[in-house]
Amino acid sequence: MSKGDLVALAGFVALFAMMAIRVPIGVAMGIVGVGGFAAITGWGPALNLLAQSPLRTVTDFNLTLIPFFILMGVLATQSGMSRELFRAGHAWLGHLRGGLALSTIAACGGFAAISGSSVATAATMSKVALPEMRGAGYPDTVATGVVAAGGTLGILIPPSVVLAVYGYMTEQDVGRLFIAGILPGLLAIAMYMAAVRIAYRRSLPAGTPFETSEAVSSLRDVWAVLLLFVAVIGSMYLGIVTATEAAATGSLLTALIGFARRRLTFSTLLDALIEALRTSVAIYTILIGAILFGYFLTITQTPQKITAFLVALDFGAYGTLAVILAFFLVMGCILDAMAMIILLVPIVYPVIVQLGFDPIWFGIIVVMTVELGLITPPVGMNVFVINSIARDVNLVTIFRGVFPFVLADILRLVLLIAFPAIVLFLPTTMN
């Protein structure tokens, strides 16, 4: 075993050891990256890397879309758009058995289209939909499971911060990634609704009478969401703006709509800016650590060696893909979504390219796999978010509630692997 192999092995052991004692993932990757680089090149080049990489990252124009999309989601929450989406969903779907659950999924999909964060979607809809469902007699397993699963739509339906990070790390067009997520996102909504009706058909309360006037009037409340989606995603699809320009436009437009509707004040705008700043700093910290760790991977040639090893196994393209996705599923039990993308994609991406898979398609597949980690134990970030809001519902109850949606996610993953055109059709029609 060469020196580079020994350093790489020691680096990964140190990384997981630090994660086990709760060192933040970004800090842990940065320490291993600089230390591993120094072990091979010396401390002079390593410290020079430490001095330059953070500055290059925070001043990278292509990454400015992250704080803009985060701000857009925070402003949308402050403006009460989530409640309007839920009311509109209930007006149109509330007459069906389990209508509140179906409305929650539809509202999660709508809010995901202006948020970009699964945790934010789950937290917001927990406050909006969870009390309504529990008050209407839904079992806690159903009510919490629906919100937890619906929240995962935040990182798939564009705009998605996780997809933006994937695009940056793999040098793929973020706009095409966003557009590629539309059809899989709509499929997810449909399959989640089917899961509700099939898995919980005996415990769903009856719906309320359909009121045409209420349904029509509810559409007047969601015009802002539709406008934002068209302005941001539509302009990217038509090639009018880049993803970064769309993010800036979206955050500005959300703020203007909030002020025009008197939902925002300068005080709440300041609160939104502070919240968006905190979230952005957390993401940038992980990114800086990942970039430093990436230099360490490069100098030890770890991705190339892993690629050669997996290809030599001769499992075939789809067999190797299955191994990679299984690894993502296992890691999803101990890492959050962003950490998985940043830590694992640089390692497996060269394998995917060599096997001939489309990088845009793989981005959607890997994000869908990461979604499962948001609702599976022991981490299940969305589950813990809901538990922090509904403290009288234990974690076991929530995990039981998400089980049908995990099965739906696995089935959807199989469908998109079998039929890549579902992902790639819309990107091929872009200008």
Side-chain angles (χ1 to χ4, degrees), residues 387 390-399:
N387 177 251
R391 295 186 178 275
D392 57 325
V393 183
N394 62 52
L395 290 171
V396 174
T397 298
I398 305 174
F399 279 122

Side-chain angles (χ1 to χ4, degrees), residues 4-16 32 296:
D5 293 337
L6 289 173
V7 171
L9 180 61
F12 278 101
V13 171
L15 176 64
F16 285 106
V32 171
F296 162 67

Side-chain angles (χ1 to χ4, degrees), residues 376-400:
T376 52
V379 175
M381 189 66 70
N382 282 11
V383 172
F384 281 90
V385 167
I386 293 167
N387 177 251
S388 69
I389 295 171
R391 295 186 178 275
D392 57 325
V393 183
N394 62 52
L395 290 171
V396 174
T397 298
I398 305 174
F399 279 122
R400 282 173 50 206

Side-chain angles (χ1 to χ4, degrees), residues 302-312 347-352 354:
T302 300
Q304 294 91 325
K305 292 172 182 177
I306 291 177
T307 299
F309 172 75
L310 290 175
V311 172
I347 298 173
V348 303
Y349 183 73
V351 183
I352 294 301
Q354 183 161 332

Side-chain angles (χ1 to χ4, degrees), residues 97-98 136-143 196-206:
R97 179 171 291 277
Y138 283 75
D140 286 340
T141 50
V142 180
V196 168
R197 296 298 297 270
I198 295 170
Y200 296 118
R201 59 187 180 277
R202 295 181 180 178
S203 54
L204 295 176

Side-chain angles (χ1 to χ4, degrees), residues 317-353:
Y318 286 96
T320 305
L321 176 67
V323 171
I324 291 172
L325 295 183
F327 185 62
F328 268 89
L329 288 174
V330 172
M331 294 301 292
C333 295
I334 57 175
L335 293 175
D336 64 39
M338 187 66 74
M340 277 205 294
I341 291 292
I342 289 175
L343 176 61
L344 300 179
V345 165
I347 298 173
V348 303
Y349 183 73
V351 183
I352 294 301
V353 172

